[in-house]
Amino acid sequence: MKFTTATVLFSLAMTIPALAGDSKGMTLTGTWKGSYVCGQGLTGLTLSVNKQDGAALLGTFHFYPLPSNPAAKEGCFAVAGHIFEDKRVFIGASTWITQPKDYITVDLEGRIAASGTAMKGDVKAAYPGLCSAFSLVRISPTPSAEKPCHP
């Protein structure tokens, strides 16, 4: 049986309920849109949470150029994450779906707004100082079907 990083992260997330609790039934499944800042500058971001089981989630991180930064590239990778009782969220990069040259995956660590319809926080990369912040708003309870994440 072949295991991906997302599968392993999802399995690990399922084994640590004492740390996460049930996050009070919060559901993040759906499409989240916004932006993040890394070495390439301000970049568009669509986070699609495709599956949630309790506090553990799976999805895709689709990034793309914005009018204010047309030089940014487009790409997509799988993610696995976890919601904590205090509305913190961790979304960790997994495998590439579409990787532009010279781009790396990043993780998101943030907090979900009390309304459950927005989240913001820090972008974590393998290279300190490369990235800074992200901000997302939930635009739909349905996961995104945007390309390149879904051929």
Side-chain angles (χ1 to χ4, degrees):
M1 176 178 240
K2 182 178 177 185
F3 291 99
T4 66
T5 304
T7 304
V8 173
L9 287 172
F10 189 70
S11 297
L12 284 173
M14 298 306 296
T15 63
I16 56 172
L19 293 175
D22 68 359
S23 56
K24 306 214 186 299
M26 181 169 291
T27 301
L28 297 185
T29 303
T31 302
W32 298 75
K33 279 198 176 257
S35 61
Y36 73 106
V37 178
C38 266
Q40 73 274 10
L42 185 66
T43 304
L45 167 59
T46 299
L47 176 69
S48 182
V49 179
N50 303 325
K51 181 178 179 181
Q52 183 174 339
D53 186 358
L57 55 94
L58 294 173
T60 55
F61 183 113
H62 175 202
F63 58 93
Y64 43 87
L66 293 172
S68 63
N69 184 16
K73 303 294 184 215
E74 182 176 17
C76 187
F77 52 88
V79 294
H82 206 85
I83 310 164
F84 297 87
E85 277 188 34
D86 60 359
K87 296 192 177 182
R88 284 180 303 118
V89 64
F90 172 78
I91 299 168
S94 181
T95 56
W96 279 104
I97 297 169
T98 303
Q99 181 181 12
K101 184 179 181 194
D102 298 327
Y103 273 64
I104 62 169
T105 60
V106 295
D107 300 332
L108 304 177
E109 291 181 4
R111 188 165 300 278
I112 303 159
S115 66
T117 60
M119 69 174 97
K120 63 182 177 178
D122 299 319
V123 181
K124 303 294 185 176
Y127 306 102
L130 181 65
C131 302
S132 60
F134 77 93
S135 178
L136 294 166
V137 175
R138 187 176 186 184
I139 62 164
S140 170
T142 306
S144 173
E146 290 182 350
K147 293 186 181 269
C149 297
H150 303 280

